[in-house]
Amino acid sequence: MCSDENKFCISFGYQGPRVWRKRGEAHDPHFLRSSVKFPQSVMVWGAMSSAGVGPLCFLRSKVNTAKYQAVLEHFMLPAADQLYGDEDFIFQQDLAPAHSAKASSTWFKDHGIPVLNWPADSPDLNPIKNLWDIGKRKMQYARPNNAEELKVTIRATWALITPEQCHRLIDSMPRRIAAIIQAKGAPTKY
């Protein structure tokens, strides 16, 4: 099971059509568009496996070890039940401080969940990074007006992700590893 957090903003980078103006029209209100320096955003934790996606957790603040363990308890464990049933699995997470804290390691040991050893700064290896990008591309024309509408849009988009999409991403792991080895650790197409 692969997991990660990701930030979603109300503005997904679409800036609308470009406007060409004639000299002297630069400050004409007809040609101006307001912008937001710091758009509303939400931070989301999610998990996936080759069987599909688990439930999302919207994070309200920076994640410390205690909050991360609450996410694991209330979202990761139900996701594991949903995706694996009684089958064994290995959990994947990056090396964020809350993830790699001794208390988090103890939580995994206490719950009998093996954690995949993970190299630092390795987004090319994590298929959920691609899944977040797929979701953001599907949402690029959505126009939520506030954080609550953004959450609704994220949930709806996440629900449309198929197990087949997840399976293809998990199946890409051998190719990802080979590409990173060939690139000697440099960025890859993944």
Side-chain angles (χ1 to χ4, degrees):
M1 176 187 297
C2 300
S3 70
D4 194 28
E5 296 90 9
N6 204 294
K7 184 177 184 177
F8 287 78
C9 294
I10 285 181
S11 169
F12 295 101
Y14 175 74
Q15 300 299 319
R18 290 190 174 252
V19 176
W20 293 94
R21 300 178 302 246
K22 295 180 182 173
R23 202 166 275 199
E25 294 179 337
H27 300 289
D28 183 330
H30 179 72
F31 298 112
L32 298 178
R33 182 178 299 256
S34 63
S35 65
V36 178
K37 274 193 191 257
F38 303 104
Q40 288 186 18
S41 63
V42 294
M43 184 64 79
V44 184
W45 177 92
M48 62 159 304
S49 76
S50 62
V53 297
L56 294 174
C57 175
F58 290 93
L59 305 166
R60 293 187 182 147
S61 61
K62 188 173 180 177
V63 177
N64 61 26
T65 305
K67 288 178 187 167
Y68 185 57
Q69 289 176 20
V71 169
L72 295 172
E73 193 76 39
H74 300 291
F75 292 89
M76 190 278 286
L77 290 178
D81 286 342
Q82 171 190 331
L83 297 170
Y84 296 101
D86 291 333
E87 293 181 37
D88 292 334
F89 68 96
I90 297 173
F91 187 69
Q92 179 279 327
Q93 60 185 355
D94 60 23
L95 296 176
H99 302 180
S100 57
K102 280 187 181 184
S104 294
S105 296
T106 301
W107 186 94
F108 283 107
K109 285 179 188 163
D110 290 348
H111 286 79
I113 299 170
V115 178
L116 185 65
N117 288 330
W118 201 252
D121 298 323
S122 54
D124 293 355
L125 282 175
N126 195 347
I128 198 170
K129 295 279 191 195
N130 298 99
L131 199 58
W132 292 127
D133 289 340
I134 289 167
K136 286 181 178 181
R137 278 194 304 275
K138 287 181 178 183
M139 293 171 57
Q140 72 182 340
Y141 298 110
R143 295 288 177 253
N145 294 309
N146 55 49
E148 287 308 311
E149 287 181 18
L150 178 58
K151 288 178 185 180
V152 169
T153 304
I154 294 167
R155 279 190 193 99
T157 303
W158 191 251
L160 295 174
I161 294 169
T162 65
E164 292 78 22
Q165 286 175 299
C166 295
H167 187 75
R168 280 193 303 274
L169 288 171
I170 297 295
D171 270 358
S172 72
M173 287 305 295
R175 293 187 304 275
R176 289 167 186 272
I177 293 167
I180 289 171
I181 291 169
Q182 183 177 1
K184 297 182 176 152
T188 69
K189 71 176 187 173
Y190 296 102

